[in-house]
């Protein structure tokens, strides 16, 4: 008697590029929300009665949990499944956005912004890990990273425009409520399109004491940075010391824990470590430019919120065109190292041009040219540094590496913003005390900030040239490979995330 094996038809599958669209939609929401609030701050202050220092918490309440939780939820994504973490993050972020949009008090808005930060961290931390798993082939991965980076970079500048347009047209509440339809579509699309992944299981790396230490350290670091201008220097230094102590405790814990949250061998990768160092400096300068550039247009050139947002539009357009049409092909031809260096040169040049922006400047002569330099440089550098960072992570650590990469951006952006705005304000106050006119003193303060930004990106260029040179990366991989395989025998059989790059 013979039995026939009945084979059920395979479940419907979707293109990996459709999955990339879903991942980009989730990323776009969080990126937009990080910038869209900036232009609406005066309207929020007027409506809810925030004080000057209190208004900063509309931003800080989002940044602190977002930056503090990225590393933890990135690792948890590796353990429970990245799709689960991504979808849950979309749900939390969308619900929190609605709460922000209907907020009628300061406390309600700040609490909802904190919840947004949690959802944003859950969504953002695992995206790159999912992306490199979807596109393991180097050429396709470069294209996917270029698309993803274009969405992130363009979304940041687009947020400034939308913040001004929505606030001026229908009110600040809609900068948050607009996330409801986007989030709902992204949520249901993610459930249907993204392929479920089997996490390693919580028992494989649920180091809860280590999680508490690193989350506390990161949150305290972001808190110390973003509020540095509103407190005494001694208090900031004390917070920094406590944060360093927590990081030290976390490092010791990971070295001895049976199932560490963060495998310290991850940092043996020169590509991953070097790329994150370079990224910290690059994002510090770029984030500072985005904030101070908007202030220059408003306070020196006298632009309105809507006109300020419109003035930034050439940046996302240029970034999108360059990343989608040239970035992947350029990286495939010349390699991420050379493309990264070229991008950093352009960013440094753009900062140098901005450092000369005068009090009687014009948009076409003093703002647009450096804006295009910065856009072209960022379009080249961001996909290149992303590929280098993720190439240093194994498949089983891809979520953690993604969380680390995003944490670096938050900490770098917060640090750059704090340093550049503090230096700018100090220079302006000193000049006003010497009798200088307000507009001239303000412009001079911004020039100092852009000059320091140029120094930061020049430092990033030097470090990238020294740390990420292909010959050094190859020798570093060869030296660390035996130790890594010896440390985790089963890991030696796991494919690296883009190990062939």
């Amino acid at each position: 008697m013979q039995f026939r094996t009945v084979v059920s038809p395979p479940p419907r599958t979707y293109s990996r590029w459709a999955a990339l669209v879903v991942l980009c939609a989730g990323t776009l929401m969080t990126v937009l929300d990080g910038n869209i609030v900036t232009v609406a701050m005066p309207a929020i202050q007027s409506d809810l009665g925030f004080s000057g220092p209190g208004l900063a918490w509309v931003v800080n309440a989002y940044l602190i949990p977002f930056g503090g939780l990225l590393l933890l939820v990135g690792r948890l994504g590796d353990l429970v499944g990245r799709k689960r973490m991504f979808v849950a993050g979309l749900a939390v972020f969308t619900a929190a956005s609605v709460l922000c949009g209907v907020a009628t008090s300061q406390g309600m808005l700040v609490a909802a912004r904190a919840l947004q930060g949690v959802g944003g961290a859950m969504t953002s931390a695992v995206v790159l890990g999912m992306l490199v798993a979807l596109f393991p082939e180097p050429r396709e991965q470069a294209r996917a990273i270029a698309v993803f980076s274009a969405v992130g970079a363009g979304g940041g500048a687009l947020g400034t425009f939308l913040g001004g347009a929505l606030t001026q047209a229908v009110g600040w509440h809609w900068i948050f409520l607009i996330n409801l339809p986007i989030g709902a579509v992204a949520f249901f699309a993610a459930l249907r399109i993204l392929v479920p992944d089997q996490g390693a299981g919580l028992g494989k790396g649920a180091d809860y004491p280590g999680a508490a230490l690193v989350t506390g350290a990161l949150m305290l670091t972001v808190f110390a940075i973003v509020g540095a201008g509103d407190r005494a220097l001694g208090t900031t230094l004390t917070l920094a010391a406590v944060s360093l102590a927590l990081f030290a405790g976390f490092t010791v814990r990971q070295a001895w824990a049976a199932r560490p949250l963060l495998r310290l061998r991850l940092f043996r990768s020169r590509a991953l470590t070097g790329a994150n160092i370079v990224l910290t400096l690059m994002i510090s300068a770029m984030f500072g430019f985005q904030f101070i550039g908007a202030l220059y247009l408003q306070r020196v050139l006298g632009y309105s919120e809507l006109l300020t947002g419109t003035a930034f539009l050439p940046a996302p357009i240029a970034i999108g065109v360059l990343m989608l049409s040239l970035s992947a092909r350029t990286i495939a031809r010349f390699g991420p190292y050379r493309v990264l260096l070229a991008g950093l040169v352009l960013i440094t040049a753009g900062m140098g041009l901005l450092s000369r922006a005068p009090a009687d400047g014009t948009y076409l002569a003093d703002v647009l040219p450096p804006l295009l330099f910065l856009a072209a440089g960022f379009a080249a550098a961001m996909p290149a540094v992303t590929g280098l960072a993720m190439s240093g992570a194994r498949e089983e650590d891809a979520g953690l590496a993604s969380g680390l990469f995003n944490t670096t951006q938050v900490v770098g952006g917060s640090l750059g913003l704090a340093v550049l705005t503090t230096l700018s304000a100090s220079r302006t106050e000193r000049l006003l005390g010497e009798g200088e006119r307000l507009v001239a003193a303000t412009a001079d303060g911004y020039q100092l900030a852009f000059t320091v930004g140029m120094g930061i990106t020049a430092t990033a260029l030097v470090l990238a040239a020294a740390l990420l040179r292909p010959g050094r990366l190859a020798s570093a991989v060869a030296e660390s490979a035996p130790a890594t395989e010896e440390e985790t025998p089963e890991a030696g059989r796991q494919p690296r995330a883009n190990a062939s790059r």
Side-chain angles (χ1 to χ4, degrees), residues 357-383:
D360 58 349
T362 63
Y363 176 74
L364 290 178
D366 302 297
V367 178
L368 183 59
L371 186 68
L372 294 177
F373 267 91
L374 292 170
F378 195 76
M382 193 62 187

Side-chain angles (χ1 to χ4, degrees), residues 208-224:
Y208 297 111
L213 285 169
V214 73
T215 302
L218 286 169
M219 284 188 172
L220 195 58
T221 298
V222 177
F223 174 69

Side-chain angles (χ1 to χ4, degrees), residues 397-423:
D397 291 325
L400 179 60
S402 174
L404 178 63
F405 189 80
N406 284 285
T407 301
T408 297
Q409 294 187 66
V410 173
V411 173
S414 301
L415 183 60
L417 184 60
V419 170
L420 296 183
T421 55
T422 299
L423 290 174

Side-chain angles (χ1 to χ4, degrees), residues 65-76:
F66 184 85
L69 291 172
L70 279 168
L71 197 59
L72 171 60
V73 296
R75 184 57 181 164
L76 289 177

Side-chain angles (χ1 to χ4, degrees), residues 16-36:
R16 292 174 299 158
W17 296 99
L20 177 63
V21 170
V22 174
L23 297 178
C24 286
T27 299
L28 181 62
M29 278 205 312
T30 58
V31 171
L32 281 175
D33 211 76
N35 297 80
I36 204 169

Side-chain angles (χ1 to χ4, degrees), residues 79 98 139 162 173 247 257 286 319 326 346 360 380 420 424 442:
L79 301 179
V98 174
R139 189 176 294 272
L162 288 178
H173 297 275
F247 275 122
M286 291 298 294
I319 289 171
L326 294 176
L346 290 172
D360 58 349
L420 296 183
S424 173
T442 302

Side-chain angles (χ1 to χ4, degrees), residues 128 145 148-149 275 279 381-391 405 501:
L128 282 174
I145 287 177
F148 175 78
S149 300
L279 179 70
M382 193 62 187
V385 77
T386 302
L388 285 167
M390 294 305 294
S391 71
F405 189 80
R501 174 171 273 114

